Amino acid sequence: MNDYRTPNFSAGPATLPTAVLQKAQQEMLNWQNKGVSVMEISHRSSDYIAVAEQAEQDLRDLMEIPDNYKVLFLQGGATLQFSAIPLNLLQGTADYLDTGAWSSKAFKEAQRYEKLGLGKINLVSSSENNGYTSVSDISTWNLSENADYFHYCANETVHGVQIFDVPNLENDTPIIADMSSCILSQKIDVSKFGMIYAGAQKNIGPAGLVIVIIREDLLGKASEWCPNLLKYQTQAQANSMSNTPATYSWYLSGLVFAWLKEQGGLDAIAKQNHYKAKLLYNTIDNSSLYSNCVDARYRSIMNVPFFLNNDKDLSSAVNQEFLRQADKEGLLFLKGHRMLGGMRASIYNAVEVEWVEKLVEFMQDFEKTKA
Ligand SMILES: *Cc1c(COP(=O)(O)O)cnc(C)c1O
């Protein structure tokens, strides 16, 4: 553990690997001995294109992305994809699963395009009525016959609900997953998806960048209302450079991918992620002060919300005291999302095992003072 790096449990923008920041720092003023930084050169230069291509190749290697998928490095975060997806793919009906704050936002944004007349947006199921603590059984979903696509969020960052198995729709409807907060946390079978997208600021790099992994047969279906810059086909043909891309974020993401390879790839990082999550959930479950009410089958290994004595009031004295003391101990950003209250520890790839060990030790000590 680095002495001057403070344990950081931010949900996003989140902590980045120290080694990556150090490399970026070393290269800042004099990148590749050119006397300039990488953000000060043309995105069309061969030197920059080499950086961009290497980042894509490393991501392809890590995720074992099949050749018939394009990998795009776009802007506007994951949120702009909530619009880009219907604008590119909605023609008849699209199915949406609502399992928490983010998939709910995606559904609501898509409904705007239903109003515009692009097609129908169908809600297959919502777990709002159980407070987003579980996911309904697939046999109860109201799936459409011939949907253009099925959209879901693989990890609900706010509610701490993760869907580990790709829904088996038993047809060839393209599955689209928002993986903003779980991409690269463990291996997945990309070939089961029509499209995967992820905002960078959780497990990849700086905010603003969004990565889209899309099967080639889904290109070229965009509505005439779709802005050119949002068209997947246009961006695929331009190698994500229809306009100036977020060059520095792309470069930094590349450093994170290289770092992940050095860590041993996704199986190695997954083992560590499951260990960190287990430490936290065990601490919560073995305590009479802390609780997490997510169905055990869907507990996220990336975002762990928890409450003190079921007290969801953010302003309550015990919550405030917990946060104040955690801060004093150098355990940062444990305050829960304003929608839910309580606490949340985000434990992405770059969150060190020692940080989580320090957190659970603090939680146990804090509980003793309340006994
Ligand atoms: C953070 C997040 C988003 C939004 O990302 P932006 O980059 O802020 O647009 C969308 N979906 C999920 C699951 C997220 O965690």
Coordinates of all heavy atoms in Angstrom, one line a residue, residues 11-12 76-82 101-103 105 153-158 178-182 197-202 207-210 303 344 348, ligand 1:
A11 N -17.9 6.0 -5.6 CA -18.7 5.2 -6.6 C -18.4 5.7 -8.0 O -18.6 4.9 -8.9 CB -20.2 5.4 -6.3
G12 N -17.9 6.8 -8.1 CA -17.5 7.3 -9.5 C -17.6 8.8 -9.6 O -18.6 9.3 -9.1
G76 N -19.7 11.5 -23.8 CA -21.1 11.7 -23.3 C -21.4 10.8 -22.2 O -22.6 10.7 -21.7
G77 N -20.5 10.0 -21.8 CA -20.7 9.0 -20.7 C -21.7 8.0 -21.0 O -22.2 7.9 -22.2
A78 N -22.0 7.1 -20.1 CA -23.0 6.1 -20.3 C -24.4 6.7 -20.5 O -25.2 6.1 -21.3 CB -23.0 5.1 -19.1
T79 N -24.6 7.8 -19.9 CA -26.0 8.4 -20.0 C -26.4 8.8 -21.5 O -27.5 8.6 -21.8 CB -26.0 9.7 -19.1 OG1 -25.7 9.3 -17.8 CG2 -27.4 10.3 -19.1
L80 N -25.4 9.2 -22.3 CA -25.8 9.6 -23.6 C -26.2 8.3 -24.4 O -26.9 8.4 -25.4 CB -24.7 10.3 -24.4 CG -25.1 11.0 -25.7 CD1 -26.2 12.0 -25.5 CD2 -23.9 11.8 -26.2
Q81 N -25.7 7.2 -24.0 CA -26.1 5.9 -24.6 C -27.6 5.6 -24.4 O -28.2 4.9 -25.2 CB -25.2 4.7 -24.2 CG -23.7 4.9 -24.6 CD -23.6 5.1 -26.1 OE1 -24.2 4.3 -26.9 NE2 -22.9 6.1 -26.5
F82 N -28.1 6.1 -23.3 CA -29.5 5.9 -23.0 C -30.4 6.4 -24.2 O -31.4 5.9 -24.5 CB -30.0 6.5 -21.7 CG -29.3 6.0 -20.5 CD1 -29.5 6.7 -19.3 CD2 -28.6 4.8 -20.5 CE1 -28.9 6.2 -18.1 CE2 -28.0 4.4 -19.3 CZ -28.1 5.1 -18.1
A101 N -31.8 2.2 -10.1 CA -31.7 3.6 -10.5 C -31.3 3.8 -12.0 O -31.9 4.6 -12.7 CB -30.7 4.4 -9.6
W102 N -30.2 3.0 -12.4 CA -29.7 3.3 -13.8 C -30.5 2.7 -14.9 O -30.8 3.3 -15.9 CB -28.2 2.8 -13.8 CG -27.4 3.7 -13.1 CD1 -26.7 3.4 -11.9 CD2 -27.0 5.1 -13.3 NE1 -26.0 4.5 -11.5 CE2 -26.2 5.5 -12.3 CE3 -27.4 6.0 -14.4 CZ2 -25.7 6.8 -12.3 CZ3 -26.9 7.3 -14.3 CH2 -26.1 7.7 -13.3
S103 N -31.0 1.4 -14.7 CA -31.8 0.9 -15.7 C -33.2 1.6 -15.8 O -33.8 1.7 -16.9 CB -32.1 -0.6 -15.5 OG -32.6 -0.9 -14.2
K105 N -33.5 4.9 -15.4 CA -33.2 6.1 -16.2 C -33.1 5.8 -17.6 O -33.6 6.5 -18.5 CB -31.8 6.7 -15.7 CG -31.9 7.5 -14.5 CD -30.6 8.4 -14.4 CE -30.7 9.3 -13.2 NZ -29.5 10.0 -12.9
C153 N -29.3 -3.5 -17.0 CA -28.1 -3.0 -16.3 C -27.5 -4.2 -15.5 O -28.2 -4.7 -14.6 CB -28.5 -1.8 -15.4 SG -27.0 -1.2 -14.5
A154 N -26.3 -4.5 -15.9 CA -25.7 -5.7 -15.2 C -25.3 -5.5 -13.8 O -25.2 -6.4 -13.0 CB -24.5 -6.2 -16.1
N155 N -25.0 -4.2 -13.5 CA -24.7 -3.9 -12.1 C -25.3 -2.5 -11.7 O -24.8 -1.5 -12.2 CB -23.2 -3.9 -11.8 CG -22.9 -3.7 -10.4 OD1 -23.2 -4.5 -9.5 ND2 -22.2 -2.6 -10.1
E156 N -26.3 -2.5 -10.8 CA -26.9 -1.3 -10.4 C -26.0 -0.7 -9.3 O -26.0 -1.1 -8.2 CB -28.3 -1.6 -9.9 CG -29.3 -1.9 -11.0 CD -29.8 -0.7 -11.8 OE1 -29.3 0.4 -11.5 OE2 -30.6 -0.9 -12.7
T157 N -25.3 0.4 -9.7 CA -24.3 1.1 -8.9 C -24.9 1.7 -7.6 O -24.2 1.7 -6.6 CB -23.6 2.2 -9.7 OG1 -23.5 1.7 -11.1 CG2 -22.3 2.6 -9.2
V158 N -26.1 2.2 -7.7 CA -26.7 2.8 -6.5 C -27.3 1.7 -5.6 O -27.0 1.8 -4.4 CB -27.8 3.8 -7.0 CG1 -28.6 4.3 -5.7 CG2 -27.3 4.9 -7.8
D178 N -25.8 -2.4 -19.8 CA -25.1 -1.3 -19.2 C -24.1 -1.9 -18.2 O -24.6 -2.4 -17.2 CB -26.0 -0.3 -18.6 CG -25.3 0.9 -17.9 OD1 -24.1 0.8 -17.8 OD2 -26.0 1.8 -17.4
M179 N -22.8 -1.9 -18.5 CA -21.9 -2.5 -17.6 C -20.9 -1.5 -17.0 O -19.8 -1.8 -16.7 CB -21.0 -3.6 -18.3 CG -21.9 -4.8 -18.8 SD -20.8 -6.2 -19.0 CE -22.1 -7.4 -19.5
S180 N -21.4 -0.3 -16.9 CA -20.6 0.8 -16.4 C -19.8 0.5 -15.2 O -18.6 0.9 -15.0 CB -21.4 2.1 -16.2 OG -22.0 2.5 -17.4
S181 N -20.5 -0.1 -14.2 CA -19.8 -0.3 -12.9 C -19.3 -1.8 -12.7 O -18.9 -2.1 -11.6 CB -20.7 0.1 -11.8 OG -22.0 -0.5 -11.9
C182 N -19.4 -2.6 -13.7 CA -18.9 -4.0 -13.5 C -18.0 -4.5 -14.7 O -17.5 -5.6 -14.6 CB -20.0 -5.0 -13.3 SG -21.2 -5.1 -14.6
Y197 N -22.1 -1.6 -23.1 CA -21.5 -0.2 -23.0 C -21.1 0.1 -21.5 O -21.7 -0.5 -20.6 CB -22.4 0.8 -23.6 CG -23.7 1.0 -22.9 CD1 -23.9 2.1 -22.0 CD2 -24.8 0.2 -23.0 CE1 -25.1 2.4 -21.4 CE2 -26.0 0.4 -22.4 CZ -26.1 1.5 -21.6 OH -27.4 1.7 -20.9
A198 N -20.2 1.0 -21.4 CA -19.7 1.3 -20.0 C -19.1 2.7 -20.0 O -18.2 3.0 -20.7 CB -18.7 0.3 -19.5
G199 N -19.6 3.5 -19.1 CA -18.9 4.8 -18.8 C -17.6 4.4 -18.1 O -17.5 3.4 -17.4
A200 N -16.6 5.3 -18.4 CA -15.2 4.8 -18.0 C -14.9 5.0 -16.5 O -14.0 4.4 -16.0 CB -14.2 5.6 -18.8
Q201 N -15.6 5.9 -15.8 CA -15.1 6.5 -14.5 C -15.2 5.5 -13.4 O -14.9 5.9 -12.2 CB -15.8 7.8 -14.2 CG -17.2 7.7 -13.8 CD -18.2 7.8 -15.0 OE1 -17.8 7.3 -16.1 NE2 -19.3 8.3 -14.9
K202 N -15.7 4.3 -13.6 CA -15.8 3.3 -12.5 C -14.6 2.3 -12.6 O -13.8 2.3 -11.7 CB -17.1 2.6 -12.5 CG -18.3 3.3 -11.9 CD -18.9 4.3 -12.8 CE -19.9 5.2 -12.2 NZ -21.2 5.3 -12.9
A207 N -13.7 10.2 -16.3 CA -15.1 10.4 -16.7 C -15.2 11.0 -18.0 O -14.2 11.7 -18.5 CB -15.7 11.3 -15.6
G208 N -16.3 10.8 -18.7 CA -16.6 11.5 -20.0 C -16.5 10.5 -21.1 O -17.3 10.5 -22.0
L209 N -15.6 9.5 -21.0 CA -15.4 8.5 -22.0 C -16.5 7.4 -21.8 O -16.8 7.0 -20.7 CB -14.0 7.9 -21.9 CG -13.6 6.9 -22.9 CD1 -13.3 7.5 -24.2 CD2 -12.4 6.1 -22.4
V210 N -17.0 6.8 -22.9 CA -17.8 5.6 -22.8 C -17.4 4.6 -23.8 O -17.0 5.0 -25.0 CB -19.3 6.0 -23.0 CG1 -19.6 6.7 -24.3 CG2 -20.2 4.7 -22.8
N303 N -20.3 -2.7 -5.7 CA -20.9 -1.6 -4.9 C -21.7 -2.2 -3.8 O -22.6 -3.0 -4.0 CB -21.8 -0.7 -5.8 CG -21.2 -0.3 -7.0 OD1 -21.4 -0.9 -8.1 ND2 -20.5 0.8 -7.0
R344 N -22.3 3.4 1.4 CA -21.9 2.6 0.3 C -20.4 2.5 0.1 O -19.8 3.6 0.1 CB -22.6 3.1 -1.0 CG -22.1 2.4 -2.3 CD -22.8 2.8 -3.5 NE -22.8 4.3 -3.7 CZ -23.2 4.9 -4.8 NH1 -23.7 4.2 -5.8 NH2 -23.1 6.2 -4.9
Y348 N -14.1 -1.2 -6.6 CA -13.8 -1.6 -8.0 C -12.4 -2.2 -8.1 O -11.7 -2.3 -7.1 CB -13.8 -0.3 -8.8 CG -15.1 0.4 -8.9 CD1 -15.3 1.7 -8.4 CD2 -16.3 -0.2 -9.4 CE1 -16.5 2.4 -8.4 CE2 -17.5 0.4 -9.4 CZ -17.6 1.7 -8.9 OH -18.9 2.3 -9.0
Ligands
LIG1 C1 -22.3 5.8 -13.5 C2 -23.3 5.1 -14.3 C3 -23.9 5.6 -15.4 C4 -23.8 7.0 -15.8 O1 -22.5 7.3 -16.3 P1 -22.2 8.8 -16.8 O2 -20.8 8.6 -17.3 O3 -22.3 9.7 -15.6 O4 -23.2 9.1 -17.9 C5 -24.8 4.8 -16.1 N1 -25.0 3.5 -15.7 C6 -24.4 3.0 -14.7 C7 -24.6 1.5 -14.3 C8 -23.5 3.7 -13.9 O5 -22.9 3.2 -12.8

